[in-house]
């Protein structure tokens, strides 16, 4: 029976689970930071000539930050499932569970990384486009007319839709990681 315990619940199994925790939080937050950085650069560039658009153009920064939250959620769920060794040094956390938790952490982390990159790159282009359109419109009206013809609003709606679809990638990773984190098998204590 000891061979069964060693083969099914080896001492290395929790390492896989902890790697899933680390991969989830680290990769998702790298994606969030990258997305925030890229979108922030675009916001500052467009804010020089159109400071009234800064608050409106913060959507990519918020969307990128959500990716980090997804990584945190996954890490907490997986961490709560990792069991410590029992009395006598017997491990109940199985290799099957460790592999599932590693896969869940990677699913969420890599999805968050990809989503953050997409949000940042598309967000920078979108806020720059909104700022450019605003400046061009002000120049064509001589800076007197505050009412817009709707072109800026169409750009804004397009930006929001692009950000939502780019953010969905991370949401899919979160859902997959939650499903993977539920794939558990624990060895009987001492049997």
């Amino acid at each position: 029976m000891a061979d069964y315990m060693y083969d099914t619940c080896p001492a290395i199994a929790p390492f896989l689970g902890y790697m899933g925790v680390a991969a989830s939080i680290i990769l998702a937050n790298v994606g969030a930071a990258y997305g925030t950085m890229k979108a922030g650069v675009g916001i500052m560039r467009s804010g020089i000539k159109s400071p009234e658009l800064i608050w409106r153009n913060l959507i990519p920064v918020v969307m990128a930050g959500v990716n980090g939250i997804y990584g945190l959620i996954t890490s907490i769920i997986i961490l709560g499932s990792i069991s410590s060794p029992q009395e006598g040094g017997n491990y109940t956390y199985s290799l099957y569970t460790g592999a599932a938790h590693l896969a869940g952490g990677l699913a969420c982390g890599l999805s968050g990384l990809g989503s953050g990159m997409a949000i940042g790159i598309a967000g920078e282009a979108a806020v720059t486009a909104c700022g450019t359109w605003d400046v061009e419109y002000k120049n064509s009206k001589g800076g007197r007319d505050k009412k817009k013809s709707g072109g800026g609003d169409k750009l804004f709606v397009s930006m929001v839709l692009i950000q939502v679809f780019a953010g969905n990638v991370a949401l899919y990773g979160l859902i997959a990681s939650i499903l993977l984190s539920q794939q558990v098998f624990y060895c009987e204590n001492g049997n």
Side-chain angles (χ1 to χ4, degrees), residues 87-111:
E87 291 180 25
N90 293 325
Y91 286 89
T92 59
Y93 189 79
S94 69
L95 198 56
Y96 173 84
T97 305
H101 288 168
L102 176 60
L106 287 171
C108 182
L110 290 171
S111 296

Side-chain angles (χ1 to χ4, degrees), residues 11 16 18 21 30 43 47-48 56 63 78 83 90 94 99 102 109 135 147 152 158 161 168 170 184 186-189:
L16 297 176
Y18 285 120
V21 170
V30 167
I43 291 168
I48 293 170
R56 188 176 188 186
M63 294 293 292
I78 293 172
S83 61
N90 293 325
S94 69
L102 176 60
V135 168
K147 187 175 180 185
S158 297
L161 287 174
N168 283 350
V184 296
Y186 293 106
C187 296
E188 297 294 325
N189 188 12

Side-chain angles (χ1 to χ4, degrees), residues 8-127:
T8 308
C9 292
I12 194 73
F15 174 75
L16 297 176
Y18 285 120
M19 286 303 294
V21 170
S24 176
I25 194 80
I26 292 169
L27 295 172
N29 278 298
V30 167
Y34 182 83
T36 300
M37 179 265 306
K38 289 292 282 182
V41 167
I43 291 168
M44 292 299 110
R45 284 186 185 149
S46 72
I48 293 170
K49 293 187 178 180
S50 297
E52 67 275 3
L53 295 180
I54 289 177
W55 288 104
R56 188 176 188 186
N57 287 339
L58 282 176
I59 289 175
V61 173
V62 173
M63 294 293 292
V66 169
N67 292 347
I69 295 170
Y70 291 165
L72 178 63
I73 291 168
T74 298
S75 293
I76 290 170
I77 290 171
I78 293 172
L79 193 58
S81 298
I82 299 174
S83 61
S84 61
Q86 300 297 316
E87 291 180 25
N90 293 325
Y91 286 89
T92 59
Y93 189 79
S94 69
L95 198 56
Y96 173 84
T97 305
H101 288 168
L102 176 60
L106 287 171
C108 182
L110 290 171
S111 296
L113 178 62
S115 174
M117 293 176 74
I119 287 170
I121 292 168
E124 180 184 24
V127 298

